[in-house]
Structures are given as C-alpha cells and as structure tokens.
Amino acid sequence: MCGIAGYIGKNQAAPIILDGLSRLEYRGYDSAGIAVFDGERIRMAKAAGRLSVLKELTDNGRALPGCCGIGHTRWATHGRPCDENAHPHMNRENTIAVVHNGIIENYRKLREKLERKGYVFSSETDTEVLAHMLTEYYRGDPVEAIEKVLHRVEGSYALGILFLDHPHHIYAARRDSPLVVGVSGEEKFIASDVPALLEHTRTVYYMENEEIATLSAGNIRFYSLDGELLSKKPVTVEWDISAAQKGGYAHFMLKEIHEQPSALRDTIFPRLKDRRIDLDDLGLSEEKIRRLRRISIVACGSAYHAAVVGKYVLEALARIPVETDLASEYRYRCPICEPDSLVIIVSQSGETADSLAALRDAKARGSRILAIVNVVGSSIAREADCVFYTGAGPEISVATTKAYSCQLAAFYMLAAEFARVRGAIGADRFCGLLAALKRLPAQVRELLGCQEKIQFLANRYLAADHIFFMGRGIDYAISLEGSLKLKEISYIHSEAYAAGELKHGTISLIEEQTPVVAVATSDRLYPKTLSNIVEVKTRGAMVLALTTPGHEDLARTADYVLFVPETEPLFMGSLSIIPLQLFAYYVSLGRGLDVDKPRNLAKSVTVE
Ligand code: G6P
C-alpha cells in the first residue's frame, strides 16, 4: 500500500526512483508521481494509472534531470485515484514537496484551519495538509518545521520531503508506516521496503516510530521528534537481489510457489536440534510453556488462514485451548487476556495496520506477544515480546504463497515443541513429527511436478462465475486459503465452507455444473466429506477433489481427482495447498489477468 522511493547522490535521481517504485509495485497502487530538484526548482510529474504512464510522461525519468528526488506510488484512501490526488503534493510556491504513506486522521480539522489562513488546496488528499503545514511552520530549519508539524498530526505516516532551500537534502520521518534508509557510499536512499534498495545496497537503517532523518550525499542524521540527535546502527540485509527478481519465471507468484521447498527448509531446519525444536530465541522457558492456559492467534488475510490451521494443530498436539481472531475484529472486541495466556500475531509483512493495533491492544492488557513474522525489523517484529521469523525471503506477489507455507511450518514447530514440553505427547510421537517436518520440503517439491495437470484442470474453470470450496477440519482451513487465493487473482466469486455446514444454506446455490473444489485428505473425516461430495454431485455440481492415495474410489464420484502424497495428518495442509495455489495461478493466467498485481489489492495493508 503506497510506496515511497527517494534518492540523493551523483547519478540522475529520476530513473533510480522510478526503478525503486517499480520494485514496490507489488504493494498495490493506482497512481504514481515523482519530484526532482533540477538545480533551480523542484520539478514534479504525476499520473493516475500504472507506473508505465509516469515513465512515458517523463521519458523514463530523463525529462526530470537532477540528482535528488522523491517518488511515490499511491493506493487511494482519501480522494479517488487521479492525477491531482497523486503524490508528491507541493505548497503553492513550489518550494516544498511531500510524499506520504499512511493516513493523517485529523486532516479535516487541519485543512479547515489552513483554509481559514488562506491556504488553497488542489487535491482531496489528507497528505496535502502536510505541505501547507510545513510552509506555515518553516523558518529556515526543515527539521524544526517537520517536528512542529508532526507534533500536530494524528495518524500514521512515512514521509519523504524536499525543501527548495535545502536542495541537496531529503528529509524523512515515520510513525506506524514502514520506511528504510539505504546507504551506498555517497549515495543515499529512502524506501518503503527493502526490495526497492537491493539493486544498490544491502546496508540499511530501519527507521523507528517518531524519528526524523536527514539525508545528504555526505551523511545521514536521525532525530527524535523533539529534535534530539540519535545514534543508530546500520543493518546488513541478508536477502540478495535475485530474491526480488523473477529469475526466469513468468510471474513472481509462480516463482514464489516454486520457492516453497527452500523457504520451508530455511524455516524448519535451523530449529531442528538434538531431538528437540529449538525455540530458545523466543524466550519462552519450559516453565512458561508448561504454565500456558490459553493461546489467541490474531491475524489478517492468509495469515489468518494459517492461524486457523495453527489452532487445529496446537489443540491436537499440545492440548492447549486456542482461539483465532481476525485482527480487525479482535482490536475492537475487548478481548479477555488472562495470566498465563499467549497472544500470537501472524504477519508476513509485519506492518499490517490491524494486526499491529491488535498486538498493541493485547500488550496493553498484559498479554505476552509472540509474533510469527517474515520481514525482519518490521513494526510487529519490533513491538512483540518475541519473534519467530519465517524464512520465506522477500515475497513480491500480492497473493501470498511461500510466506503462508512457512507460517504453517512455524505453527507445526510451536505445537510439537509445546506438546513435548507439556508431556502431551510421548517421545515416539515427537520423533515422528520431527521426521515428518524434515520430509515436508521434498514432498512439496514432488507435488510441484503436477503443475501441467493443474493447468489443464484450471483451464476448465476459466468461465466460472462462482466456485465453492469445501472440507472438514484442516481440509476446511486449507479450503479457506485455496478459495481466497482463487478469488483474489481470478476475480471469480469463491467461498469456502466447512463441508458439514453446506446443508445449512450454501447447498441451495448448487445447480447443474456449479464448480466445487473438495479437499478430502483426512482419513478420519474422509467418509463424512465423501457424503458431502455426493450431496453436491447429486445436485449437478462439477467436482474437483483433492485426496490422498488409498481413496481411489473418489474417482467414481468426483469429476476430477488430484492425489497429494501422504504425510503426518496434522501437516497435510502444507501439501494440499500447493495444487490449490497452482490452480488459482493458472485460472488467473488463463483469464488474462495481472497475476502478481490484482486490482484493488495491496500486499502490505498499512491502513485500517
Ligand atoms: C494483504 C495481502 C494478503 C495478506 C494480508 C495480511 O491482504 O494481500 O496476502 O495475507 O494482507 O498481511 P500480512 O503481511 O499481515 O501477512
């Protein structure tokens, strides 16, 4: 959601900024803009639509010469997507330019005040108030003006600012929206996310909340909102540039689906030690694990679906009561946080606004917070008491695949270790789980071999208007994710149902040729799910079923059957999700859609 890129150095800024913005496209946006200091004035270009429109408008940046600039991709919140509302926003005198990610919540009040003072607005955005407020408070010292403005705004922001009076500087600030500063000798960068910088540097400073940065070719300084000079250490990012490139794949999504075996290996293997799962870095002593009385798992989107799997696995193995919540609901429902309970926040980006707010709410109620996060140094990772990092590496496609898979693996490991420590399972069972964990990456690799068959099947569903997914237990949790994957990138209406619940409403929607995807991998629940498949078949549904070897009889009922290899039943979701990810990918591809950047969606949802 909204991307910021800025550059100062010896090279032309605009092409570097446009390139940085293109690496942030995955965040989701609907307009883009750029401002560059050309030696005399700040020149700006902005346009609704894809970045290609802005690139054309600026002759790939060549029309905006200069070595210092800022750029932005906007995901509309306040004001529709159009040229005027695109960032940067400038003051009337064209001496201050601002790009902003986040929401200024008290912008109406601020705007009215400014209008009373004679400021004229040219957009409907909340951001424009910042350009005029900076004008109001600027007396020659940009940092002082920024401090004064930020003390008066409510809400979230990551900011990049240019002042004409200080032409060889970029000013930056953040609160609750991510911003990183990159350094490569005399060249300095700002960006919403690390992939925008990887081409140039792996040395970054993560900006903390309520920090201001000044960047010039010579140096970088960080200040608190009270003007105090701060000392910060740079961090070397482990990800390399190839991780943020397509590497020969047609889409990031396909590449990331294929990266799952290595992502799983990187998540699982470092924790397997001497017949135990090493959770020492989480600071959860065996005593604390034994005392746990309840776990709440809170997340959004696919991370929430991983949480639903987590609930089944944790309850089954560790015998601890688990509740799951959507972060947007949890944060407003006055949850009960008892002593000896643990709140687990799951998030790929570590920046999702609702998940972060839920974390803060739970923390304020005295809960201990464990975060399962992919992005190192992200807000959720920093604010949690302890972090289980997933090893997915950068995920660019809006539709998550490898990060979700790694979240499942994180839950398996937590559940198995909690179960061992609490004595809920014996040594043999624990060893069996470890062995199953070790086998998972290779099994996923094997499954990826069914790609062509899935493409063939997916092509039969291209014209569908509605699709229903169903399953029981973990198969239901996987159906939720399979259905979301499909709807977000194919724009086909899709719903997932607990198979036993179909009869309570949804079955009335089943008619001749209604497509149904049935997940039936659980031996224990197979006869029950089979009955539900028969029920929809009887009403004319066209059924694609997923099952495990041994259930060949399903071919007599379903129209198409896909077999996934067997594993530990509680870990089956890691295998059954693979064909469903590929199915969604090929349906989207077959419908000619933008697989990696589906309409209206953002990778990192940093607003409520
Ligand atoms: C967006 C993404 C989803 C993701 C969700 C939660 O909606 O498109 O793929 O599951 O946010 O994001 P998080 O970064 O917290 O996992």
Side-chain angles (χ1 to χ4, degrees), residues 300-303 346-350 352 355 398-400 407 488 602-603 605:
C300 302
S302 295
V346 194
S347 174
Q348 185 285 127
S349 63
T352 303
S355 304
V398 165
T400 176
Q407 288 161 357
E488 61 185 346
K603 177 83 182 153
V605 181

Side-chain angles (χ1 to χ4, degrees), residues 264 268 305-320 322 404-405 407-420 424-426 429-430 432-437 439-440 443 472-478 519 521-525 548 564-577:
L264 282 169
I268 296 170
H305 294 159
V308 178
V309 175
K311 173 185 165 75
Y312 284 110
V313 181
L314 275 159
E315 287 191 338
L317 288 176
R319 307 302 298 147
I320 306 172
V322 179
Y404 168 83
S405 282
Q407 288 161 357
L408 297 190
F411 277 119
Y412 303 158
M413 287 188 276
L414 289 174
E417 185 62 9
F418 285 7
R420 183 189 71 79
I425 55 173
R429 175 84 173 113
F430 184 74
L433 293 171
L434 285 191
L437 271 172
R439 277 199 309 272
L440 266 188
Q443 288 184 300
R472 285 169 183 263
I474 288 175
D475 287 338
Y476 166 56
I478 294 306
V519 187
T521 69
S522 160
D523 275 345
R524 190 167 64 87
L525 300 170
T548 44
V564 284
E566 250 169 318
T567 179
E568 153 62 41
L570 292 170
F571 303 168
M572 267 316 294
S574 289
L575 301 182
S576 45
I577 193 58

